[in-house]
Amino acid sequence: MDLKSAQFWSRRLAAHCPPGTPAIRLMEVCGTHTHAIARHNLRELLPGNVELISGPGCPVCVSGVLFIEKIRHLLRKGVTVALFGDLLRIPGSSGTLRGEKNLRVVYSPADALRYALENPDRQTVFAAVGFAPTLSAAAALMSEVEEQKCKNFSILSDFKEIMPVLGLLCSNSGIGGFLLPGHVASVTGVKHFSSLPRPGVVSGFEPENILHSIDLLLEALASGRKNYLFNNYPEAVRETGNPLAEKLISHYFRHTAGFWRGLGNIPDSRLELKENFACYDAEKIYDLSGVQAPENPACSCGDVLTGKRSPGECSLFGTVCTPENPAGACMASSEGSCSAAFQWQTGGVK
């Protein structure tokens, strides 16, 4: 974004916040937004009374230490675990998974199934994290699993549903509005966010689009439209979402309570395989109900994910906790807000 555009947006946003306007807190809930905002230094263009905080939009970050230890438990049983690379760097109660045997890094759910089909003598578990886009890919994969009659593949699910968390954040964090995730909305549609009691704008990922989305939020707040909802990413997002993806998701998965780092257990916020697909549910196949793991009390990742503090306010940031040696999930994941702050705001040096 050039200087002329930056000056334009700075003036436009300031026009919504004349002197005496109360402080406003906005939250973005997408890891891609988090990195775009940090990379282009967009917070510097906001009025002084507007705070833009990062929320629980990094799927790897919101999974707790317990999920990592369940993966480790599976590895100890000799099971091959297919997982996204970021999960290798997330600290569990016994350290990270780096160096563990029987791990397979994949880039999509389809890669995990492909490995299982090519290695029928190996039990393979896909350690599944993500929001609606990855969930829809996993749901489509399940139809192929059934068609292929694959007996050595299962899913350890920590798929998350963002809306219950946004509702909770509305009630206890003083957030005035949300920059909503375009990737999620491309599956769910804008209607998915219609029950938000705060203004929300579904945004794309270019800096000008993000600033325009913030502009729309500030305008809605200035005019008192508390239930304002706008699609500012129409090239990828529709009102009603992707009906085929939603049908597949509802066929294979159901909502249940889920643990979110920094928020605890939240009803209807996790998706697991339905009972009639329990033969593909690693949680049940390998009886992981007894696995326990405490969260690291020294790590502030939970507070960062819920907007209670910024990455730089954590005493570990940039010293004990760096991308090369992360102490918490928000620094370990490429979508984490601590990773974004370290990479783009400090130049890699605190």
Side-chain angles (χ1 to χ4, degrees):
M1 185 170 59
D2 59 32
L3 178 60
K4 186 176 180 180
S5 294
Q7 291 173 337
F8 166 80
W9 284 111
S10 181
R11 290 193 300 268
R12 185 177 175 93
L13 296 175
H16 298 301
C17 303
T21 303
I24 299 170
R25 301 187 86 209
L26 305 177
M27 175 179 277
E28 100 269 347
V29 283
C30 173
T32 308
H33 282 152
T34 296
H35 274 258
I37 289 163
R39 178 180 183 180
H40 297 285
N41 208 18
L42 300 187
R43 287 186 174 85
E44 292 299 313
L45 303 179
L46 301 181
N49 65 330
V50 176
E51 182 184 11
L52 179 59
I53 56 178
S54 300
C58 164
V60 170
C61 301
V62 297
S63 292
V65 167
L66 179 60
F67 187 69
I68 301 300
E69 293 308 316
K70 286 181 177 180
I71 294 173
R72 201 186 311 275
H73 187 80
L74 290 170
L75 296 172
R76 296 289 187 266
K77 290 178 174 287
V79 174
T80 296
V81 177
L83 77 178
F84 297 136
D86 276 359
L87 282 171
L88 287 176
R89 297 160 42 78
I90 305 299
S93 58
S94 304
T96 70
L97 295 171
R98 286 183 289 190
E100 293 278 0
K101 296 180 179 179
N102 300 322
L103 283 170
R104 182 84 177 180
V105 175
V106 296
Y107 298 95
S108 71
D111 290 342
L113 177 59
R114 188 177 303 113
Y115 177 83
L117 292 171
E118 292 172 352
N119 298 271
D121 58 326
R122 297 286 303 170
Q123 287 295 322
T124 301
V125 173
F126 173 46
V129 297
F131 298 114
T134 312
L135 174 62
S136 64
L141 185 77
M142 282 302 303
S143 63
E144 187 176 349
V145 170
E146 289 191 288
E147 182 180 334
Q148 296 280 354
K149 296 181 171 56
C150 186
K151 303 297 184 183
N152 65 318
F153 177 83
S154 56
I155 293 177
L156 178 64
S157 176
D158 202 24
F159 286 123
K160 293 294 204 298
E161 161 65 71
I162 193 70
M163 267 302 293
V165 172
L166 298 187
L168 181 63
L169 290 170
C170 282
S171 65
N172 61 17
S173 61
I175 294 170
F178 291 95
L179 199 66
L180 297 170
H183 294 321
V184 170
S186 68
V187 176
T188 66
V190 181
K191 63 175 176 55
H192 185 67
F193 302 100
S194 60
S195 62
L196 269 179
R198 301 285 188 278
V201 175
V202 175
S203 179
F205 304 97
E206 293 299 319
E208 288 85 355
N209 189 266
I210 292 172
L211 289 169
H212 184 214
S213 298
I214 294 171
D215 175 61
L216 292 168
L217 283 174
L218 293 178
E219 184 179 15
L221 288 167
S223 59
R225 289 176 286 172
K226 294 182 178 179
N227 298 111
Y228 177 79
L229 181 62
F230 187 80
N231 178 17
N232 202 28
Y233 195 29
E235 59 268 37
V237 176
R238 296 179 296 182
E239 178 67 25
T240 56
N242 185 326
L244 177 59
E246 291 185 314
K247 182 178 179 180
L248 281 169
I249 291 170
S250 63
H251 178 71
Y252 288 107
F253 291 91
R254 66 179 180 183
H255 288 82
T256 185
F259 178 85
W260 291 64
R261 192 185 298 264
L263 288 163
N265 285 305
I266 301 176
D268 299 323
S269 67
R270 186 175 75 88
L271 290 107
E272 66 177 10
L273 287 167
K274 289 182 174 179
E275 194 62 38
N276 48 322
F277 301 110
C279 60
Y280 301 111
D281 187 340
E283 188 89 32
K284 296 180 173 64
I285 295 170
Y286 300 101
D287 189 18
L288 302 178
S289 58
V291 180
Q292 297 183 353
E295 295 292 316
N296 178 6
C299 176
S300 299
C301 187
D303 286 345
V304 172
L305 287 166
T306 53
K308 295 176 182 177
R309 66 174 67 184
S310 67
E313 290 173 331
C314 175
S315 61
L316 305 183
F317 178 78
T319 53
V320 174
C321 184
T322 66
E324 292 74 27
N325 187 32
C330 295
M331 184 67 84
S333 173
S334 60
E335 294 189 30
S337 51
C338 293
S339 169
F342 189 93
Q343 180 178 359
W344 301 112
Q345 294 174 6
T346 70
V349 180
K350 187 177 180 183

